Amino acid sequence: MIDRRALLAAVPALAACDRFASAQDAPISAPPLKSVSPAPFGTCIQAGHIDDPAWVALARANVSQLTPEWEMKMEYIAADGLNAPYRFDRTDRIVDFAQANGMAVHGHTLIWYSQGGDLVAGLSGAEFDRVFDDYVATVAGHYRGKVRSWDVVNEPITDDGEGMRDCHWSREYGADGYVLRAFEKAKAADPEAVLFLNDYNLENTPRKGAEFLRLVERLLKAGCPLEGIGTQAHLDIEIPPGQITSFIREAARFGLPIHVSELDASLRSEGRIDLRSDRERLAQQTGRVRELAVAFADLPERQRFAFSIWGLRDTDSWLRQGDKDDGKDSPLPFTASGAANPMAAAIASGFQA
């Protein structure tokens, strides 16, 4: 069955790309994104952004929710080790900024497979429990009443979708067990926050998306206080049309709030010769981004939790950091100067479809 909305999505996407390809100095028209979003519109933030007046102005115009990009992760908060106080200085500053500007905060993240191994190295049993439980209780408790929601567990599924990741947490508590324990401790520490399970490539890799949803189903059956689904949406612009919509519809069957939590969409092609024109790559990017925005807007109102991009300006993106950056990728809705990219127009068009 042909999805009329998916078919029509190509029209504004190609129009935006034509403008970009034929006259790159011509302005792209897009309304403030928070003004057209059907839910809080968010972005990630680092504390240093608060010192950038241009970033602050762009955020105030477009954003109603903030996610700390890395300073609320274990690698920063517990960087001084078990015998030192946790570091809340930078994230406190972010939370204060959000409150002063009428923005919500989404906490990111309590337990992640890639962090914390140094804290629990050599520990087991009661000692391991103490570190795990104290970390979740202390961090979630510190921000009780100050954050709207939490990514309680981040990225539990393997890249290929074969199953759960093996990590220091799962080796102590079991593949599902560490997830259950984290949610239970987070709920006790901050009962009012909405608790999310968050992962990436759920739209890009159908096998991984299906495995993630099987985990959601197991957790709910086990009585886990899982209250929301977070899909990062680091989009592969080459995935087939309709694939994003299919995943969002499948995720929606649980009736849980859905957070598009870390949207970006690189124009680069890794590891192969790319013969596509700029226009073709932009058509793919804006088409997939618009499809995501339409699928999100089509959710029941109670399931539209938030729609967050992983950075405002292209130069803020993690995809534009490091030696491999050629300065040409445009994975976010705004240019380095804060002008709208075709992606911004695609998001707005999708919300208003």
Side-chain angles (χ1 to χ4, degrees):
M1 180 177 179
I2 296 175
D3 188 325
R4 182 184 62 83
R5 291 186 131 194
L7 187 62
L8 292 175
V11 177
L14 287 171
C17 294
D18 283 338
R19 292 197 300 272
F20 186 83
S22 63
Q24 293 194 22
D25 56 345
I28 300 295
S29 176
L33 294 178
K34 70 178 183 181
S35 72
V36 293
S37 179
F41 192 87
T43 191
C44 63
I45 180 176
Q46 294 187 31
H49 287 138
I50 298 170
D51 300 319
D52 179 349
W55 185 95
V56 169
L58 192 62
R60 284 173 173 161
N62 288 278
V63 167
S64 52
Q65 180 170 291
L66 298 174
T67 303
E69 186 170 2
W70 71 275
E71 290 149 322
M72 201 178 258
K73 292 174 179 172
M74 193 177 285
E75 70 175 353
Y76 181 79
I77 288 179
D80 296 329
L82 291 178
N83 297 318
Y86 291 150
R87 299 197 298 184
F88 294 118
D89 55 331
R90 294 187 184 180
T91 315
D92 283 351
R93 190 177 180 217
I94 290 170
V95 170
D96 289 345
F97 172 82
Q99 291 179 335
N101 287 276
M103 300 173 181
V105 177
H106 177 70
H108 177 79
T109 181
L110 292 172
I111 296 295
W112 190 16
Y113 77 92
S114 72
Q115 295 180 5
D118 53 335
L119 295 180
V120 296
L123 302 182
S124 62
E127 290 182 317
F128 196 107
D129 293 348
R130 178 183 58 80
V131 173
F132 186 97
D133 296 351
D134 177 75
Y135 183 81
V136 175
T138 302
V139 177
H142 183 83
Y143 291 106
R144 180 171 177 165
K146 296 180 180 180
V147 302
R148 180 183 183 219
S149 46
W150 276 103
D151 287 331
V152 177
V153 174
N154 197 45
E155 301 173 0
I157 306 297
T158 59
D159 284 346
D160 59 10
E162 286 286 343
M164 299 284 287
R165 292 184 186 275
D166 173 65
C167 65
H168 44 285
W169 309 123
S170 66
R171 287 191 289 272
E172 183 69 18
Y173 297 122
D176 290 6
Y178 87 92
V179 181
L180 275 163
R181 190 180 187 99
F183 273 89
E184 289 166 355
K185 299 302 177 183
K187 191 64 178 176
D190 190 353
E192 299 303 317
V194 184
L195 305 183
F196 281 80
L197 185 71
N198 191 53
D199 215 322
Y200 66 94
N201 278 356
L202 305 179
E203 310 89 348
N204 298 336
T205 309
R207 187 171 185 172
K208 181 171 183 177
E211 184 65 22
F212 178 86
L213 296 181
R214 282 192 287 271
L215 172 60
V216 170
E217 187 171 24
R218 292 198 306 273
L219 293 171
L220 292 175
K221 286 181 178 179
C224 179
L226 166 62
E227 298 166 323
I229 291 172
T231 177
Q232 293 181 18
H234 298 292
L235 295 182
D236 179 350
I237 64 174
E238 297 184 55
I239 63 175
Q243 191 163 300
I244 294 168
T245 303
S246 293
F247 174 76
I248 296 297
R249 288 175 178 170
E250 274 297 298
R253 65 187 169 90
F254 295 103
L256 297 173
I258 292 176
H259 183 195
V260 172
S261 58
E262 303 182 20
L263 170 63
D264 53 33
S266 176
L267 293 169
R268 291 192 302 220
S269 181
E270 299 292 344
R272 69 172 179 82
I273 296 174
D274 191 349
L275 300 179
R276 294 170 299 168
S277 67
D278 289 347
R279 181 180 181 276
E280 289 170 326
R281 286 184 287 120
L282 276 167
Q284 287 178 309
Q285 181 203 56
T286 54
R288 299 295 71 72
V289 167
R290 187 177 188 275
E291 180 185 339
L292 177 65
V294 170
F296 180 80
D298 278 349
L299 290 169
E301 182 178 1
R302 63 185 175 80
Q303 290 188 262
R304 298 192 300 254
F305 185 79
F307 192 101
S308 297
I309 51 177
W310 208 236
L312 284 173
R313 304 167 300 193
D314 290 331
T315 44
D316 298 324
S317 174
W318 66 284
L319 295 164
R320 291 283 302 268
Q321 309 306 312
D323 297 336
K324 292 184 179 181
D325 179 37
D326 61 5
K328 298 178 181 179
D329 198 12
S330 183
L332 292 172
F334 299 98
T335 69
S337 65
N341 277 325
M343 184 174 168
I347 292 171
S349 173
F351 287 157
Q352 296 173 310

